[in-house]
Amino acid sequence: MTDFSKIPSPCYLLDETLLAHNLEMIDYVRREAGVEIIVALKACAMWHIFPELARHSDGATASSVAEARLVFEEFGQRAHTYAPVYTDADFDEILRYSDYITFNSLTQFERFGARAILNGISCGLRINPEYSTVETALYDPCTRGSRLGVLSEDLKELPAGVEGLHFHSLCESRPADLRATLSAVEERFGRFFDQIRWINMGGGHLMTHVDYDCDELIGLLRDFQLRHPGLRVILEPGSAFTWRAGYLVSTIEDIVRNGGTNTAMLDVSFACHMPDCLEMPYKPAIVGAHEPMEGEERWRMGGNSCLAGDFYGDWAFDRSPQVGDRVVFEDMIHYTMVKTTMFNGVSHPSIATIGGDGKVHVLRRFGYEDFKNRMG
């Protein structure tokens, strides 16, 4: 059991043993399904672990020049790149760091596709299957008016030079969601499958979740390949690689009791350091805490920014929290560090790893200069 009192606070802590378990599951799917699984930097760009991720994946996907360059420099490969829009200012760098480029619209392909093809890059189009099982509107890219992807009715023929199709409509989903989505994709876009070399099924395949049926996923991917032999299948899960592989360690700095509500004031912020908790929203687990039962003392966790809504609750503890206690949020590696802000100039949590031997390695600490350089 990790002694969190020994971890600097605040701190994102990645557990290398938990990461290794996830990578075993991903390797199992890669091997048994015969598909390519690439790492989506949008979920976790912690480049210290890129060498390990590279050994258990088939590359990485980028959503910007910065991510593509990071893949090239630290992953040791050129990226699969997709961005909603490219510009003249960034496209030369995109070319330099990419082997695959997916375009969000036909007009973007018309504008930049020829340059990519001349550079030997495999080009794809993002498609909108107009079907999604995602219930949170903020994360559903498949509405009819979405800015993401080409509609079937607008894709009369596949432009010359397009070698792949890409769809992304899942979010922490299960195999049944992919099965239903594939049905919609085949119905609307299957007429192009004999004209392309690869299909990218995007992210959201939460194959490292304890309740995820990897064998069901493997079966449906095999079935798809039997229907479409020779078509390379690519998946780019984000959360799956670092799912439940680490923590955000914080400390209670004050106790506020107002209007019958108990709030533990932390040295971290939901708005700045755990934004998905407010956006989805979802309630994270806390080590040593549980759902309040009837009559139990309830505790809200309060963030350290000035935003009125920077809090979440309620939790119950075996004993009343005290100033100085550690509060450790679980599953805080994916979609946390990549989304942090410096609103209010709040301190960024440090970044650290812990190995199977219990040794903690602090990779990065943040301070005033980080804030000043970002603002100026």
Side-chain angles (χ1 to χ4, degrees):
M1 180 66 181
T2 302
D3 183 356
F4 292 106
S5 67
K6 305 296 184 183
I7 309 299
S9 178
C11 182
Y12 292 112
L13 179 68
L14 180 132
D15 188 318
E16 294 175 345
T17 301
L18 299 176
L19 175 65
H21 174 72
N22 286 348
L23 298 180
E24 287 179 9
M25 295 300 299
I26 288 167
D27 278 341
Y28 174 69
V29 175
R30 291 169 67 208
R31 181 179 66 250
E32 297 300 319
V35 299
E36 299 172 34
I37 299 181
I38 60 179
V39 180
L41 263 66
K42 68 183 72 173
C44 181
M46 188 178 179
W47 53 267
H48 174 82
I49 62 173
F50 280 8
E52 185 66 12
L53 296 183
R55 287 190 286 271
H56 301 275
S57 67
D58 299 285
T61 180
S63 302
S64 65
V65 169
E67 286 189 350
R69 180 175 175 178
L70 192 62
V71 170
F72 182 78
E73 292 182 349
E74 301 297 337
F75 218 90
Q77 304 177 34
R78 284 183 167 81
H80 294 244
T81 302
Y82 160 78
V85 67
Y86 302 110
T87 68
D88 285 316
D90 67 23
F91 201 70
D92 282 342
E93 278 196 276
I94 292 287
L95 293 174
R96 188 177 309 143
Y97 301 126
S98 306
D99 273 340
Y100 298 80
I101 296 178
T102 294
F103 296 89
N104 184 63
S105 67
L106 291 168
T107 50
Q108 281 268 292
F109 177 72
E110 291 167 3
R111 181 175 172 186
F112 296 110
R115 288 166 62 185
I117 293 167
L118 282 173
N119 280 269
I121 291 168
S122 184
C123 293
L125 278 180
R126 177 165 179 169
I127 54 176
N128 179 353
E130 296 185 66
Y131 177 87
S132 176
T133 58
V134 176
E135 295 181 355
T136 303
L138 186 65
Y139 296 95
D140 178 7
C142 292
T143 58
R144 185 166 175 77
S146 172
R147 77 192 200 287
L148 302 175
V150 181
L151 296 173
S152 173
E153 65 195 55
D154 295 327
L155 195 61
K156 305 302 183 185
E157 59 183 12
L158 203 64
V162 170
E163 297 186 334
L165 295 177
H166 169 107
F167 66 89
H168 179 68
S169 58
L170 304 180
C171 179
E172 297 185 2
S173 301
R174 302 296 187 268
D177 301 301
L178 176 59
R179 188 184 302 278
T181 301
L182 275 179
S183 178
V185 170
E186 289 181 280
E187 177 184 345
R188 292 184 170 89
F189 298 95
R191 64 190 185 277
F192 301 117
F193 284 5
D194 61 353
Q195 302 175 47
I196 59 175
R197 294 172 50 206
W198 52 267
I199 184 165
N200 186 324
M201 298 183 181
H205 315 277
L206 197 52
M207 60 190 73
T208 51
H209 191 287
V210 65
D211 294 327
Y212 193 99
D213 189 339
C214 286
D215 291 324
E216 182 181 352
L217 173 65
I218 291 165
L220 75 89
L221 290 173
R222 285 177 173 173
D223 289 344
F224 179 85
Q225 291 173 99
L226 286 173
R227 294 195 301 276
H228 307 287
L231 190 59
R232 287 174 52 211
V233 175
I234 304 166
L235 278 65
E236 50 177 44
S239 299
F241 279 90
T242 50
W243 180 258
R244 296 195 63 81
Y247 311 89
L248 176 56
V249 180
S250 67
T251 301
I252 299 175
E253 300 293 348
D254 191 20
I255 300 292
V256 173
R257 302 179 190 272
N258 282 339
T261 299
N262 304 313
T263 302
M265 299 293 291
L266 308 175
D267 59 353
V268 295
S269 163
F270 288 93
C272 299
H273 307 136
M274 298 173 278
D276 273 0
C277 293
L278 303 182
E279 291 177 2
M280 281 294 281
Y282 82 96
K283 181 180 177 181
I286 294 176
V287 174
H290 56 270
E291 286 294 319
M293 294 183 290
E294 187 72 29
E296 276 194 294
E297 188 176 48
R298 295 168 177 261
W299 286 86
R300 174 184 290 180
M301 299 295 116
N304 63 342
S305 81
C306 71
L307 180 69
D310 190 2
F311 68 88
Y312 215 105
D314 293 313
W315 288 267
F317 296 81
D318 292 337
R319 67 172 182 84
S320 294
Q322 305 294 320
V323 171
D325 285 354
R326 287 285 199 267
V327 171
V328 180
F329 294 93
E330 298 183 29
D331 196 22
M332 284 293 162
I333 300 299
H334 59 94
Y335 288 110
T336 50
M337 288 181 279
V338 292
K339 284 191 169 185
T340 54
T341 75
M342 290 185 169
F343 174 59
N344 278 180
V346 297
S347 176
H348 265 4
S350 299
I351 299 173
T353 62
I354 185 168
D357 57 3
K359 291 184 178 179
V360 175
H361 301 277
V362 178
L363 307 176
R364 179 74 191 274
R365 297 180 187 271
F366 298 88
Y368 168 71
E369 292 300 326
D370 297 292
F371 173 69
K372 181 180 179 182
N373 291 338
R374 187 169 179 177
M375 297 300 110

